[in-house]
mmCIF file of all heavy atoms in Angstrom:
data_model
loop_
_atom_site.group_PDB
_atom_site.id
_atom_site.type_symbol
_atom_site.label_atom_id
_atom_site.label_comp_id
_atom_site.label_asym_id
_atom_site.label_seq_id
_atom_site.Cartn_x
_atom_site.Cartn_y
_atom_site.Cartn_z
ATOM 1 N N MET N 411 132.960 89.003 73.805
ATOM 2 C CA MET N 411 131.535 89.268 73.665
ATOM 3 C C MET N 411 130.795 87.945 73.791
ATOM 4 O O MET N 411 131.368 86.866 73.517
ATOM 5 C CB MET N 411 131.216 89.882 72.291
ATOM 6 C CG MET N 411 132.008 91.120 71.939
ATOM 7 S SD MET N 411 131.375 92.615 72.711
ATOM 8 C CE MET N 411 129.932 92.921 71.711
ATOM 9 N N GLU N 412 129.524 88.014 74.183
ATOM 10 C CA GLU N 412 128.714 86.788 74.240
ATOM 11 C C GLU N 412 127.262 87.095 73.888
ATOM 12 O O GLU N 412 126.784 88.213 74.049
ATOM 13 C CB GLU N 412 128.806 86.109 75.612
ATOM 14 C CG GLU N 412 128.127 86.827 76.740
ATOM 15 C CD GLU N 412 128.175 86.066 78.056
ATOM 16 O OE1 GLU N 412 129.173 85.326 78.277
ATOM 17 O OE2 GLU N 412 127.229 86.183 78.864
ATOM 18 N N VAL N 413 126.589 86.061 73.380
ATOM 19 C CA VAL N 413 125.170 86.140 73.059
ATOM 20 C C VAL N 413 124.471 84.928 73.667
ATOM 21 O O VAL N 413 124.877 83.781 73.425
ATOM 22 C CB VAL N 413 124.940 86.138 71.522
ATOM 23 C CG1 VAL N 413 123.444 86.114 71.219
ATOM 24 C CG2 VAL N 413 125.585 87.367 70.893
ATOM 25 N N ASP N 414 123.449 85.188 74.447
ATOM 26 C CA ASP N 414 122.639 84.135 75.049
ATOM 27 C C ASP N 414 121.543 83.766 74.061
ATOM 28 O O ASP N 414 120.713 84.609 73.708
ATOM 29 C CB ASP N 414 122.048 84.631 76.362
ATOM 30 C CG ASP N 414 121.435 83.494 77.201
ATOM 31 O OD1 ASP N 414 120.960 82.510 76.605
ATOM 32 O OD2 ASP N 414 121.432 83.630 78.444
ATOM 33 N N ILE N 415 121.525 82.521 73.569
ATOM 34 C CA ILE N 415 120.556 82.143 72.538
ATOM 35 C C ILE N 415 119.387 81.336 73.102
ATOM 36 O O ILE N 415 118.634 80.747 72.352
ATOM 37 C CB ILE N 415 121.252 81.360 71.397
ATOM 38 C CG1 ILE N 415 121.891 80.085 71.944
ATOM 39 C CG2 ILE N 415 122.260 82.228 70.692
ATOM 40 C CD1 ILE N 415 122.452 79.185 70.825
ATOM 41 N N ARG N 416 119.263 81.298 74.417
ATOM 42 C CA ARG N 416 118.108 80.605 75.008
ATOM 43 C C ARG N 416 116.826 81.388 74.679
ATOM 44 O O ARG N 416 116.873 82.591 74.372
ATOM 45 C CB ARG N 416 118.253 80.501 76.515
ATOM 46 C CG ARG N 416 119.324 79.524 76.976
ATOM 47 C CD ARG N 416 119.433 79.552 78.500
ATOM 48 N NE ARG N 416 119.885 80.854 78.966
ATOM 49 C CZ ARG N 416 119.810 81.256 80.236
ATOM 50 N NH1 ARG N 416 119.288 80.480 81.164
ATOM 51 N NH2 ARG N 416 120.267 82.451 80.601
ATOM 52 N N PRO N 417 115.649 80.740 74.771
ATOM 53 C CA PRO N 417 114.402 81.474 74.625
ATOM 54 C C PRO N 417 114.304 82.616 75.626
ATOM 55 O O PRO N 417 114.848 82.529 76.742
ATOM 56 C CB PRO N 417 113.329 80.405 74.881
ATOM 57 C CG PRO N 417 113.993 79.104 74.537
ATOM 58 C CD PRO N 417 115.430 79.280 74.924
ATOM 59 N N ASP N 418 113.608 83.683 75.244
ATOM 60 C CA ASP N 418 113.521 84.871 76.100
ATOM 61 C C ASP N 418 113.055 84.538 77.507
ATOM 62 O O ASP N 418 113.631 85.031 78.495
ATOM 63 C CB ASP N 418 112.564 85.886 75.466
ATOM 64 C CG ASP N 418 113.045 86.359 74.095
ATOM 65 O OD1 ASP N 418 114.265 86.467 73.912
ATOM 66 O OD2 ASP N 418 112.188 86.555 73.217
ATOM 67 N N ALA N 419 112.007 83.743 77.655
ATOM 68 C CA ALA N 419 111.467 83.421 78.976
ATOM 69 C C ALA N 419 112.503 82.673 79.805
ATOM 70 O O ALA N 419 112.611 82.902 81.023
ATOM 71 C CB ALA N 419 110.182 82.590 78.844
ATOM 72 N N ASP N 420 113.264 81.797 79.215
ATOM 73 C CA ASP N 420 114.262 81.031 79.945
ATOM 74 C C ASP N 420 115.378 81.937 80.474
ATOM 75 O O ASP N 420 115.885 81.710 81.596
ATOM 76 C CB ASP N 420 114.863 79.954 79.042
ATOM 77 C CG ASP N 420 113.850 78.898 78.639
ATOM 78 O OD1 ASP N 420 112.772 79.282 78.136
ATOM 79 O OD2 ASP N 420 114.101 77.701 78.835
ATOM 80 N N ILE N 421 115.754 82.953 79.701
ATOM 81 C CA ILE N 421 116.781 83.890 80.163
ATOM 82 C C ILE N 421 116.292 84.662 81.369
ATOM 83 O O ILE N 421 116.976 84.767 82.404
ATOM 84 C CB ILE N 421 117.183 84.846 79.022
ATOM 85 C CG1 ILE N 421 117.826 84.076 77.880
ATOM 86 C CG2 ILE N 421 118.142 85.920 79.536
ATOM 87 C CD1 ILE N 421 118.131 84.923 76.663
ATOM 88 N N LEU N 422 115.082 85.220 81.267
ATOM 89 C CA LEU N 422 114.529 86.011 82.379
ATOM 90 C C LEU N 422 114.344 85.139 83.620
ATOM 91 O O LEU N 422 114.647 85.563 84.751
ATOM 92 C CB LEU N 422 113.186 86.616 81.980
ATOM 93 C CG LEU N 422 113.239 87.862 81.091
ATOM 94 C CD1 LEU N 422 111.837 88.248 80.658
ATOM 95 C CD2 LEU N 422 113.897 89.013 81.832
ATOM 96 N N ALA N 423 113.830 83.929 83.444
ATOM 97 C CA ALA N 423 113.619 83.044 84.576
ATOM 98 C C ALA N 423 114.937 82.697 85.254
ATOM 99 O O ALA N 423 115.024 82.651 86.497
ATOM 100 C CB ALA N 423 112.894 81.775 84.132
ATOM 101 N N GLY N 424 115.966 82.452 84.472
ATOM 102 C CA GLY N 424 117.275 82.154 85.047
ATOM 103 C C GLY N 424 117.800 83.312 85.896
ATOM 104 O O GLY N 424 118.378 83.091 86.971
ATOM 105 N N ARG N 425 117.611 84.521 85.415
ATOM 106 C CA ARG N 425 118.067 85.684 86.195
ATOM 107 C C ARG N 425 117.296 85.813 87.500
ATOM 108 O O ARG N 425 117.876 86.113 88.553
ATOM 109 C CB ARG N 425 117.899 86.947 85.355
ATOM 110 C CG ARG N 425 118.814 87.018 84.146
ATOM 111 C CD ARG N 425 118.574 88.318 83.389
ATOM 112 N NE ARG N 425 119.383 88.400 82.168
ATOM 113 C CZ ARG N 425 119.331 89.425 81.334
ATOM 114 N NH1 ARG N 425 118.519 90.457 81.582
ATOM 115 N NH2 ARG N 425 120.090 89.439 80.241
ATOM 116 N N MET N 426 115.969 85.618 87.450
ATOM 117 C CA MET N 426 115.166 85.718 88.668
ATOM 118 C C MET N 426 115.549 84.633 89.677
ATOM 119 O O MET N 426 115.621 84.904 90.890
ATOM 120 C CB MET N 426 113.681 85.640 88.343
ATOM 121 C CG MET N 426 113.096 86.851 87.645
ATOM 122 S SD MET N 426 113.446 88.419 88.511
ATOM 123 C CE MET N 426 112.815 88.087 90.146
ATOM 124 N N ARG N 427 115.786 83.428 89.216
ATOM 125 C CA ARG N 427 116.176 82.366 90.154
ATOM 126 C C ARG N 427 117.498 82.685 90.855
ATOM 127 O O ARG N 427 117.665 82.398 92.040
ATOM 128 C CB ARG N 427 116.259 81.030 89.398
ATOM 129 C CG ARG N 427 114.910 80.396 89.076
ATOM 130 C CD ARG N 427 115.064 78.944 88.692
ATOM 131 N NE ARG N 427 115.824 78.785 87.467
ATOM 132 C CZ ARG N 427 115.280 78.650 86.256
ATOM 133 N NH1 ARG N 427 113.960 78.665 86.125
ATOM 134 N NH2 ARG N 427 116.059 78.502 85.183
ATOM 135 N N LYS N 428 118.429 83.303 90.132
ATOM 136 C CA LYS N 428 119.711 83.708 90.750
ATOM 137 C C LYS N 428 119.471 84.759 91.825
ATOM 138 O O LYS N 428 120.086 84.731 92.894
ATOM 139 C CB LYS N 428 120.654 84.225 89.674
ATOM 140 C CG LYS N 428 121.255 83.152 88.809
ATOM 141 C CD LYS N 428 122.263 83.735 87.802
ATOM 142 C CE LYS N 428 122.883 82.655 86.941
ATOM 143 N NZ LYS N 428 123.829 83.197 85.936
ATOM 144 N N ILE N 429 118.587 85.732 91.519
ATOM 145 C CA ILE N 429 118.288 86.778 92.506
ATOM 146 C C ILE N 429 117.658 86.169 93.742
ATOM 147 O O ILE N 429 118.046 86.473 94.889
ATOM 148 C CB ILE N 429 117.362 87.842 91.875
ATOM 149 C CG1 ILE N 429 118.109 88.641 90.815
ATOM 150 C CG2 ILE N 429 116.832 88.779 92.952
ATOM 151 C CD1 ILE N 429 117.233 89.615 90.050
ATOM 152 N N TRP N 430 116.668 85.301 93.551
ATOM 153 C CA TRP N 430 116.008 84.681 94.692
ATOM 154 C C TRP N 430 117.000 83.857 95.519
ATOM 155 O O TRP N 430 116.963 83.883 96.741
ATOM 156 C CB TRP N 430 114.850 83.791 94.211
ATOM 157 C CG TRP N 430 113.708 84.570 93.653
ATOM 158 C CD1 TRP N 430 113.490 85.913 93.780
ATOM 159 C CD2 TRP N 430 112.613 84.068 92.894
ATOM 160 N NE1 TRP N 430 112.328 86.280 93.119
ATOM 161 C CE2 TRP N 430 111.772 85.174 92.584
ATOM 162 C CE3 TRP N 430 112.269 82.803 92.422
ATOM 163 C CZ2 TRP N 430 110.609 85.020 91.832
ATOM 164 C CZ3 TRP N 430 111.106 82.648 91.675
ATOM 165 C CH2 TRP N 430 110.293 83.757 91.384
ATOM 166 N N ALA N 431 117.868 83.142 94.831
ATOM 167 C CA ALA N 431 118.851 82.315 95.548
ATOM 168 C C ALA N 431 119.795 83.209 96.367
ATOM 169 O O ALA N 431 120.136 82.871 97.522
ATOM 170 C CB ALA N 431 119.643 81.456 94.575
ATOM 171 N N SER N 432 120.200 84.340 95.797
ATOM 172 C CA SER N 432 121.118 85.240 96.528
ATOM 173 C C SER N 432 120.440 85.868 97.725
ATOM 174 O O SER N 432 121.110 86.272 98.689
ATOM 175 C CB SER N 432 121.615 86.337 95.587
ATOM 176 O OG SER N 432 120.575 87.242 95.232
ATOM 177 N N GLU N 433 119.105 85.975 97.701
ATOM 178 C CA GLU N 433 118.364 86.573 98.820
ATOM 179 C C GLU N 433 117.782 85.504 99.740
ATOM 180 O O GLU N 433 117.041 85.849 100.678
ATOM 181 C CB GLU N 433 117.242 87.444 98.262
ATOM 182 C CG GLU N 433 117.767 88.628 97.446
ATOM 183 C CD GLU N 433 116.637 89.479 96.883
ATOM 184 O OE1 GLU N 433 115.467 89.017 96.920
ATOM 185 O OE2 GLU N 433 116.906 90.600 96.421
ATOM 186 N N GLY N 434 118.076 84.239 99.466
ATOM 187 C CA GLY N 434 117.583 83.172 100.318
ATOM 188 C C GLY N 434 116.096 82.918 100.164
ATOM 189 O O GLY N 434 115.454 82.371 101.079
ATOM 190 N N LEU N 435 115.538 83.250 98.977
ATOM 191 C CA LEU N 435 114.099 83.037 98.757
ATOM 192 C C LEU N 435 113.877 81.715 98.023
ATOM 193 O O LEU N 435 114.565 81.402 97.065
ATOM 194 C CB LEU N 435 113.541 84.181 97.921
ATOM 195 C CG LEU N 435 113.524 85.561 98.568
ATOM 196 C CD1 LEU N 435 113.072 86.609 97.543
ATOM 197 C CD2 LEU N 435 112.615 85.576 99.776
ATOM 198 N N ALA N 436 112.894 80.979 98.493
ATOM 199 C CA ALA N 436 112.532 79.706 97.828
ATOM 200 C C ALA N 436 111.601 79.999 96.648
ATOM 201 O O ALA N 436 111.027 81.080 96.553
ATOM 202 C CB ALA N 436 111.836 78.781 98.829
#
């Protein structure tokens, strides 16, 4: 099991950056 303890905004932003990177979006 794991728990991400970063601030909420940082978690969401990290996920979006991964999506953009996988789609080749700057």
Side-chain angles (χ1 to χ4, degrees):
M411 306 280 285
E412 70 176 32
V413 175
D414 192 330
I415 61 173
R416 289 177 296 166
D418 299 324
D420 295 52
I421 296 174
L422 282 174
R425 293 180 184 178
M426 288 308 305
R427 284 195 296 264
K428 286 183 179 179
I429 291 174
W430 291 346
S432 69
E433 297 179 348
L435 295 173

